[in-house]
Amino acid sequence: MSQMKQVSRVLQVGSRTMSLILLLCIILLRGFEVDALEYDYSASIECLTHPLKPQYNGGIIENPELNNGLEGWTSFGDAKIEHRESLGNKYVVAHSRNKANDSVSQKIHIEKDKHYTLSAWIQVSEGNVLVTAIVKTRTGLKFGGAIFAETNCWSMLKGGLTAEESGPAELYFEGNKTSVEIWIDNVSLQSFAEKEWSSHQDQSIEKIRKRKVLIQALNEEGKPLPNANISFALKKLGFPFGSSMNKYILNNTLYQNWFTSRFTVTTFENEMKWYSTEAVKGKEDYMIADAMLQFAKQHNIEVRGHNVFWDDPHYQPSWVPSLSPTQLSSAVEERVKSVVSKYKGNLIAWDVVNENLHFSFFESKLGQTFSSKIFNEVHNIDGQTTLFLNDYNTIEESSDGASSPARYIQKIKQIQSYAGNSGIPIGIGLESHFSGTINFPYMRASLDYLGASRFPIWITELDVAREPRQLQYFELALKEAHSHPMVRGIVMWTAWSPEGCYRICLVDNNFKNLPAGNVVDKFISQWKSNNLSGVTDKNGFLEVTLFHGDYEMEIVHPIQKNNTFTQFLKVTPSDKSNQTQPVVKLHIK
């Protein structure tokens, strides 16, 4: 503690006199031991001259670094394979390919219900080619992940799958451009049982969402004060968690009370979208959005701006599709100036061009640089707000190539390369509309890959489709997202409506919890402990581990049993494992 900076502050409590010094320091948690193989969250979005070593030493893959020739590897389909070496690196090449799946493979054995994390380093002989990893089982094909491979450098493919059966299987790689060679190196396939997978989540939450708080009580002579009782009440969670909301909240007290007692961040369901604010050309109406923003501010709830534009042609204002390119360009400029200027400085994010990876309404009419240009214009108006790409299926659906993690990173790089965009604050918005069975290894690996960009990741519209395991997957998806080191916030797409919810309802029309609401309350309960307190030891110390957030501390000492005082404490994350917050001295006289 001798190396820590000290900050002093004087507090006067009533007329009683009592000298008490509390020394508070925040210490990062140094580890959470679990009896499981540690998960490797690392990934690379860069194309490297030399591939990195295989994760988990290859896991169940035989000869993962190709140091033993072609041992363990065979040709798949009609491809020919050969062992090569370049710059001291050994790898396998599939050539003479006539079909997409003519490539290289390895026979493996999988176990039912185990999670498998997959990684490999890929290069192609020419161009920029999408290469996909496939696991062939006795009953079908399982998508493992994909990457846009390049020539003259190695790209990391990271993905995963959950085995639905036990038995023999085969891992192979395919690419639609049959004229190119596919080069493979440093492959890894590592299995994890469900308990191990869950332990990764617990370990990560302990490490990234909490910090240790060390408190020492001393008298004015600097002597320890043992047996001081200190309790902590969480007033605001540090991790942003919330739900979408809509206009119905404005005049419904039950809705308001239910919502504000739980959430710290929101997204307006439709009320800020272009078709809502300018249903008739030239007649803007922000009254409902303004009222919702005012309501959120009154209750200390942060708001994500959703959205400036939506690229889906089905969700344009009715008067927009018939505009000529010149007219559309003018309307677009007016929309940007209007909505961004109006809410400048009042939002924590802008979804700039929504679902731009799947749709191209504006690009088809105004050119392929439309999105990049709009990011630039929004930033020039509202320079302090993070600007998001926001799309679906990036972590939900492994077979949707339009918004795959690799495609997402390509789009970000395209936006950054536009003149004037290199330094703008960009965020990754993942809608997370899950359907059916969730591929959790793919979800985690995709977050790993996107996280390697170092851009903040938000889960922006999380829900799960109606199916027998909806509640189970809803709960597991929340935990998976919250436990990932690169996720900075979660917003669920669960706004209440008298006509019914989008896909998952949290409450009934009397705002009593439905089963999904109980899942949410259980999720929130991990942060709120009603009995979070302790007593200082003989040296005046008390150590507790707290989630990041704002706390009210109440301190009672037996010398003055009727004398209590409160003080606020902010527990913040740190990027440095050995960093502590400054010591705070509190004096009571």
Side-chain angles (χ1 to χ4, degrees):
M1 295 179 66
S2 61
Q3 296 178 348
M4 293 184 289
K5 297 179 181 178
Q6 297 190 352
V7 180
S8 297
R9 189 162 45 162
V10 177
L11 298 179
Q12 189 75 30
V13 181
S15 60
R16 299 180 184 274
T17 61
M18 175 181 175
S19 296
L20 182 64
I21 301 174
L22 289 180
L23 304 183
L24 290 83
C25 63
I26 308 302
I27 300 177
L28 278 177
L29 194 67
R30 294 188 178 275
F32 181 74
E33 298 299 327
V34 292
D35 186 20
L37 178 64
E38 186 176 351
Y39 180 83
D40 189 343
Y41 288 95
S42 66
S44 174
I45 62 171
E46 304 302 328
C47 201
L48 305 178
T49 303
H50 294 277
L52 301 180
K53 290 287 186 179
Q55 295 184 323
Y56 315 103
N57 295 315
I60 65 172
I61 296 297
E62 181 183 358
N63 189 22
E65 298 183 63
L66 281 300
N67 289 333
N68 299 324
L70 293 176
E71 180 181 318
W73 297 95
T74 58
S75 62
F76 192 88
D78 298 326
K80 295 180 180 179
I81 66 171
E82 64 180 79
H83 188 258
R84 294 183 191 170
E85 181 175 349
S86 176
L87 301 175
N89 185 55
K90 299 174 182 178
Y91 51 95
V92 60
V93 174
H95 62 87
S96 304
R97 304 171 54 246
N98 297 311
K99 299 187 294 293
N101 64 358
D102 287 344
S103 63
V104 61
S105 71
Q106 182 165 136
K107 290 180 171 57
I108 56 176
H109 187 277
I110 58 175
E111 297 180 58
K112 185 179 180 180
D113 295 330
K114 280 198 171 182
H115 296 309
Y116 289 83
T117 183
L118 168 70
S119 63
W121 289 84
I122 316 291
Q123 187 173 164
V124 291
S125 56
E126 62 176 306
N128 185 287
V129 179
L130 183 68
V131 176
T132 303
I134 305 290
V135 173
K136 181 181 179 182
T137 70
R138 290 179 297 186
T139 58
L141 303 178
K142 301 281 288 185
F143 183 95
I147 189 66
F148 287 96
E150 302 178 37
T151 185
N152 297 321
C153 60
W154 294 91
S155 298
M156 185 182 189
L157 180 156
K158 192 168 189 184
L161 65 144
T162 300
E164 297 177 352
E165 59 185 301
S166 295
E170 193 167 8
L171 169 66
Y172 69 92
F173 301 86
E174 66 177 33
N176 287 331
K177 192 173 183 180
T178 58
S179 62
V180 304
E181 299 176 344
I182 299 177
W183 303 2
I184 310 292
D185 198 8
N186 293 2
V187 183
S188 174
L189 188 66
Q190 177 64 45
S191 66
F192 294 99
E194 181 58 44
K195 287 185 178 180
E196 293 178 297
W197 197 260
S198 180
S199 76
H200 300 151
Q201 297 169 335
D202 295 335
Q203 178 182 4
S204 182
I205 289 170
E206 289 289 326
K207 182 178 180 181
I208 66 171
R209 306 298 181 204
K210 297 181 178 181
R211 293 181 83 172
K212 282 186 179 177
V213 180
L214 183 63
I215 301 172
Q216 187 181 30
L218 304 171
N219 63 20
E220 60 184 352
E221 285 82 30
K223 294 181 180 180
L225 284 175
N227 302 317
N229 187 286
I230 305 177
S231 59
F232 304 84
L234 179 65
K235 294 303 181 182
K236 183 178 181 181
L237 179 67
F239 181 84
F241 178 64
S243 169
S244 57
M245 71 179 187
N246 53 40
K247 62 184 179 181
Y248 296 111
I249 203 167
L250 294 175
N251 299 306
N252 191 316
T253 303
L254 290 176
Y255 191 1
Q256 293 173 1
N257 293 340
W258 187 91
F259 195 95
T260 58
S261 65
R262 287 164 172 81
F263 304 130
T264 60
V265 62
T266 191
T267 301
F268 300 168
E269 196 172 37
N270 298 304
E271 289 78 3
M272 203 177 281
K273 293 171 182 173
W274 196 6
Y275 63 68
S276 296
T277 61
E278 195 177 359
V280 177
K281 188 178 186 302
K283 295 184 178 180
E284 294 179 333
D285 184 357
Y286 290 102
M287 183 173 64
I288 294 177
D290 286 348
M292 291 173 66
L293 180 62
Q294 183 61 30
F295 170 81
K297 281 187 171 183
Q298 288 173 349
H299 295 279
N300 202 25
I301 296 173
E302 295 178 314
V303 178
R304 300 187 73 258
H306 181 75
N307 48 54
V308 182
F309 295 106
W310 193 351
D311 231 342
D312 189 334
H314 296 99
Y315 295 102
Q316 305 304 322
S318 60
W319 52 272
V320 165
S322 61
L323 298 178
S324 69
T326 300
Q327 292 171 327
L328 180 61
S329 179
S330 177
V332 160
E333 294 301 316
E334 289 301 316
R335 163 65 175 173
V336 172
K337 291 176 184 176
S338 175
V339 71
V340 180
S341 297
K342 181 170 184 57
Y343 296 117
K344 172 184 176 181
N346 289 295
L347 308 173
I348 60 169
W350 280 110
D351 291 333
V352 178
V353 186
N354 199 50
E355 298 179 355
N356 177 239
L357 297 172
H358 282 96
F359 304 104
S360 55
F361 173 81
F362 294 100
E363 287 83 355
S364 66
K365 298 175 181 293
L366 302 177
Q368 292 305 304
T369 62
F370 171 81
S371 295
S372 302
K373 181 173 179 286
I374 296 302
F375 268 79
N376 183 271
E377 292 185 3
V378 173
H379 176 67
N380 286 339
I381 298 172
D382 191 359
Q384 300 303 311
T385 302
T386 303
L387 311 184
F388 281 76
L389 280 174
N390 190 55
D391 220 310
Y392 61 90
N393 279 355
T394 305
I395 61 174
E396 304 99 299
E397 182 51 66
S398 59
S399 61
D400 188 347
S403 59
S404 69
R407 180 71 185 92
Y408 203 116
I409 295 299
Q410 277 191 340
K411 187 66 179 184
I412 284 182
K413 290 181 176 179
Q414 176 186 325
I415 292 171
Q416 285 184 303
S417 66
Y418 187 82
N421 281 1
S422 60
I424 66 175
I426 291 179
I428 295 174
L430 305 174
E431 292 185 11
S432 309
H433 294 295
F434 293 100
S435 299
T437 302
I438 299 179
N439 183 346
F440 286 105
Y442 181 80
M443 176 183 176
R444 187 181 291 182
S446 298
L447 290 170
D448 296 344
Y449 184 82
L450 294 167
S453 70
R454 312 314 295 178
F455 291 118
I457 296 174
W458 274 66
I459 306 300
T460 58
E461 303 179 18
L462 189 148
D463 61 17
V464 178
R466 295 180 180 90
E467 61 102 51
R469 292 173 291 181
Q470 182 188 39
L471 292 175
Q472 176 190 2
Y473 282 131
F474 183 45
E475 183 172 3
L476 290 173
L478 285 171
K479 186 176 181 182
E480 186 68 60
H482 179 238
S483 66
H484 198 279
M486 297 308 296
V487 172
R488 297 289 179 261
I490 299 173
V491 178
M492 302 173 294
W493 207 247
T494 49
W496 174 85
S497 168
E499 291 82 28
C501 311
Y502 175 57
R503 294 209 303 184
I504 189 166
C505 295
L506 303 183
V507 294
D508 62 19
N509 285 354
N510 294 314
F511 292 88
K512 302 297 183 182
N513 271 8
L514 294 171
N518 291 334
V519 168
V520 170
D521 281 355
K522 178 183 175 183
F523 185 69
I524 292 173
S525 70
Q526 67 182 305
W527 300 312
K528 295 184 177 181
S529 175
N530 295 326
N531 299 308
L532 189 57
S533 63
V535 178
T536 56
D537 63 18
K538 63 180 181 180
N539 296 312
F541 284 105
L542 171 65
E543 182 180 273
V544 292
T545 300
L546 301 173
F547 279 99
H548 303 150
D550 297 340
Y551 291 84
E552 184 179 82
M553 297 187 302
E554 184 176 272
I555 301 97
V556 182
H557 193 270
I559 295 176
Q560 296 275 346
K561 289 187 177 181
N562 295 323
N563 183 39
T564 64
F565 75 95
T566 60
Q567 175 61 23
F568 288 98
L569 169 69
K570 181 179 284 292
V571 181
T572 59
S574 171
D575 294 330
K576 299 179 181 178
S577 61
N578 61 348
Q579 189 179 47
T580 61
Q581 291 188 180
V583 175
V584 180
K585 288 184 179 180
L586 307 177
H587 300 255
I588 294 185
K589 296 182 179 179

